[in-house]
Amino acid sequence: MNEMSTTIQNVRSVTPEQLMRELALGEKPFILDVRNEDEFQQWRIEGKDAVETLHIPYFDFLEDPEVNIGKVPKGREITVVCAKGGSSEYVAQLLSERGYQARNLAGGMIAWGNAHQFTEVSMAKEGQPDIVFYQINRFGKGCLSYLIGSAGEAIVVDPSRHIDQYINLANEKGLKIKHVFDTHLHADHISGGAALAERVGATYHIRMADAEGARFPYESLRDGQRFDVGNVTLRVIALETPGHTPGSTTFLINDKFLLTGDTIFVLGAGRPDLGGQAEPWARDLYRTLFEKLAPLPDDVWVLPAHFSSADEQREDGLVTERLGEIRRTNAVMQSRSEEEFIRSVLASLSEQPAIYGKIRKANLGWIQADEDEVTEMELGKNQCAASAIPTGR
Amino acid sequence: MTAINFDRVLDARGLSCPLPIINARQEITTLEPGQVLKVLATDRGSVKDFQGWAKTAKNISLVSQATEVIDGKEVYVHYVQKIG
């Protein structure tokens, strides 16, 4: 009866990290996605260029293997993808038996959504070689977080719930995590902020405007608050930048790097409607972008908490851009007046995923969810940006 | 909700895809046309997968789906009828 355990054997597999590297290097893997229609429509493998993808659910291969295998191109490597890696392994096996070059994405889209890639922010070392500065890219979801340290101490900003990733990196670099920051109360993913701080004995910081009523200890951030980390080689200044949320905070690192959270992205800006008060928050966002951040010089590097398109990623893998370039090219920065800005931002908004309310509650510690529930809640790419808005309408 | 009649039960709890559907396909071959197989699964993905499978497969129809709590765990129940 249990025929699978005997037929599945020795299918080659690829890890999410490896597949991401191939996509970033401009290789052209061919994806065969065998999930059901709904799952496929909701979320798929994306890369720097359009990814060639064929969608045939695995049960179609069960019903009519010959016809469906016939739709798969021969003579090139096929990367088979499903939700958890089981059905894709089965289909990869089926293809291998017929002489196809097939491999399985290990762990499926769940593993894709949970994988993290570490990229050094190399510009940070100029003149300050002792600084350790990493952008941690959870590429399946488009979530970015940061570990920054010097002289044995570190801070972490916007950690995902996979807190071992940060602890391991800190240990490897000989750093003790002293402060953990969330730029805002996240709605698209479960924060690892409070849990990481508790585990390593650090202080957790988030602004009270976002975290009021949270069921865990935190220190509310104040505008202009300064943190010296590791012998003052690392100076962190918190700036109140409401808009995406009322408590959104931006961190200025050594006057050169601006960790903007969901305030401003390389393309687009943080959508102001996730808390149900789109217009007043859009007004806050305008003041943040055009007044609060206005004194900052053009050569500051913006390091956001999200990206939504691969165009936002540089050749070296970093998602970053200079503030001056963002001022010049980012569509939301082109508005001439407050009213025009609000109109265009509000017009760009799509419906927020229904699960975002529940994720916010989980991030306040109001509800507890087990691993399966959390995985389910976090499925799919973040939708935190107001999209790039064509002007002139 | 009216109770749904069934002729056999397949326990696919604890199995993840593609096993619930592979095993259901096999079980269906032993049924007579018109008979109904009740499948118990804990894999949440099975809900959409059984719907998709029923659209593709020519010899079955998905009569009904339900969620039950059995032994404190959510169980997805699929009623599949053999046709033709």
Side-chain angles (χ1 to χ4, degrees):
Chain A
M1 170 105 152
N2 195 340
E3 60 180 70
M4 289 294 302
S5 53
T6 52
T7 54
I8 285 187
Q9 49 185 325
N10 296 329
V11 175
R12 281 188 312 119
S13 69
V14 58
T15 62
E17 290 83 357
Q18 175 61 26
L19 181 60
M20 185 65 206
R21 259 194 302 279
E22 292 174 11
L23 289 163
L25 289 170
E27 292 173 26
K28 309 269 182 232
F30 185 94
I31 305 288
L32 172 62
D33 195 317
V34 300
R35 291 173 299 159
N36 63 52
E37 180 69 22
D38 280 38
E39 290 172 328
F40 178 69
Q41 289 306 335
Q42 190 195 2
W43 188 33
R44 59 187 84 167
I45 303 279
E46 290 175 54
K48 208 156 174 54
D49 305 305
V51 180
E52 212 178 331
T53 303
L54 177 65
H55 175 228
I56 305 175
Y58 70 89
F59 35 80
D60 288 12
F61 283 96
L62 292 176
E63 286 307 316
D64 201 343
E66 299 316 320
V67 165
N68 287 298
I69 288 170
K71 295 175 185 166
V72 179
K74 228 172 176 159
R76 60 187 295 192
E77 185 173 63
I78 310 297
T79 303
V80 193
V81 174
C82 73
K84 296 181 197 157
S87 301
S88 51
E89 189 177 31
Y90 174 84
V91 173
Q93 174 76 30
L94 214 60
L95 291 168
S96 298
E97 285 165 4
R98 284 164 176 78
Y100 284 80
Q101 235 188 306
R103 61 180 187 171
N104 177 39
L105 176 65
M109 288 304 281
I110 288 176
W112 177 256
N114 284 336
H116 295 60
Q117 191 181 45
F118 297 77
T119 309
E120 194 163 16
V121 181
S122 51
M123 308 85 83
K125 291 209 173 292
E126 289 161 18
Q128 289 179 300
D130 63 324
I131 286 205
V132 176
F133 199 145
Y134 278 88
Q135 182 179 67
I136 297 132
N137 185 338
R138 188 179 174 190
F139 45 84
K141 283 197 67 64
C143 289
L144 303 166
S145 54
Y146 299 88
L147 183 141
I148 311 165
S150 88
E153 295 183 354
I155 64 162
V156 174
V157 182
D158 289 331
S160 76
R161 67 190 177 87
H162 302 280
I163 59 176
D164 287 337
Q165 304 267 355
Y166 306 88
I167 295 171
N168 294 343
L169 180 60
N171 287 343
E172 193 185 299
K173 302 289 174 189
L175 301 167
K176 174 158 177 46
I177 299 169
K178 303 287 280 189
H179 302 280
V180 179
F181 301 95
D182 261 319
T183 52
H184 63 288
L185 181 71
H186 298 286
D188 65 295
H189 67 275
I190 302 294
S191 168
L196 175 60
E198 191 190 346
R199 174 93 76 85
V200 301
T203 313
Y204 176 56
H205 308 262
I206 181 171
R207 265 181 66 209
M208 197 199 284
D210 275 17
E212 191 146 27
R215 299 219 176 107
F216 43 72
Y218 69 94
E219 301 228 330
S220 186
L221 292 156
R222 296 185 314 275
D223 193 45
Q225 190 176 4
R226 177 176 156 160
F227 301 87
D228 293 327
V229 183
N231 266 342
V232 200
T233 12
L234 186 58
R235 195 177 69 249
V236 181
I237 297 173
L239 302 169
E240 292 184 3
T241 51
H244 177 61
T245 63
S248 282
T249 308
T250 289
F251 297 97
L252 181 62
I253 314 285
N254 285 0
D255 297 325
K256 284 199 295 201
F257 299 93
L258 197 63
L259 272 55
T260 51
D262 288 10
T263 296
I264 184 85
F265 302 123
V266 172
L267 300 173
R271 58 190 294 175
D273 62 317
L274 295 181
Q277 299 192 59
E279 195 182 326
W281 291 12
R283 221 165 269 285
D284 285 344
L285 185 61
Y286 178 85
R287 296 199 178 114
T288 284
L289 296 180
F290 293 93
E291 293 166 20
K292 179 80 181 188
L293 298 180
L296 291 170
D298 277 352
D299 64 355
V300 162
W301 290 101
V302 169
L303 293 157
H306 284 306
F307 66 101
S308 33
S309 105
D311 297 339
E312 294 168 88
Q313 202 167 13
R314 308 197 312 179
E315 292 283 302
D316 64 0
L318 279 180
V319 177
T320 189
E321 187 49 271
R322 288 204 194 259
L323 185 56
E325 186 64 15
I326 286 175
R327 284 172 173 149
R328 202 161 49 245
T329 59
N330 186 325
V332 295
M333 296 297 284
Q334 308 310 312
S335 305
R336 280 179 297 271
S337 72
E338 183 170 337
E339 296 314 315
E340 185 191 329
F341 174 86
I342 288 163
R343 220 175 19 253
S344 61
V345 163
L346 295 185
S348 82
L349 299 173
S350 55
E351 203 168 314
Q352 68 169 298
I355 199 72
Y356 278 15
K358 194 172 175 188
I359 293 179
R360 273 195 297 268
K361 285 186 186 135
N363 279 337
L364 289 166
W366 294 356
I367 49 173
Q368 301 295 324
D370 65 24
E371 178 65 26
D372 279 355
E373 288 170 308
V374 167
T375 300
E376 177 88 18
M377 284 157 76
E378 284 197 328
L379 280 181
K381 208 170 176 184
N382 85 83
Q383 295 181 37
C384 294
S387 48
I389 304 140
T391 47
R393 283 189 48 183
Chain B
M1 205 182 92
T2 54
I4 291 153
N5 295 320
F6 55 90
D7 301 280
R8 201 165 308 163
V9 179
L10 172 67
D11 188 355
R13 286 178 292 175
L15 301 179
S16 57
C17 58
L19 287 173
I21 285 183
I22 287 187
N23 294 350
R25 280 188 89 242
Q26 197 156 32
E27 199 69 25
I28 283 283
T29 61
T30 68
L31 294 186
E32 298 298 324
Q35 287 191 311
V36 173
L37 176 68
K38 176 181 180 180
V39 183
L40 307 176
T42 42
D43 184 0
R44 200 183 167 90
S46 69
V47 176
K48 294 284 182 193
D49 286 0
F50 269 80
Q51 293 168 12
W53 174 47
K55 270 189 214 159
T56 302
K58 295 180 185 73
N59 67 332
I60 58 143
S61 99
L62 187 61
V63 180
S64 178
Q65 290 182 303
T67 307
E68 289 175 17
V69 176
I70 301 174
D71 300 335
K73 212 166 158 47
E74 273 216 328
V75 175
Y76 307 97
V77 186
H78 317 284
Y79 295 90
V80 184
Q81 185 172 38
K82 180 168 182 170
I83 48 175

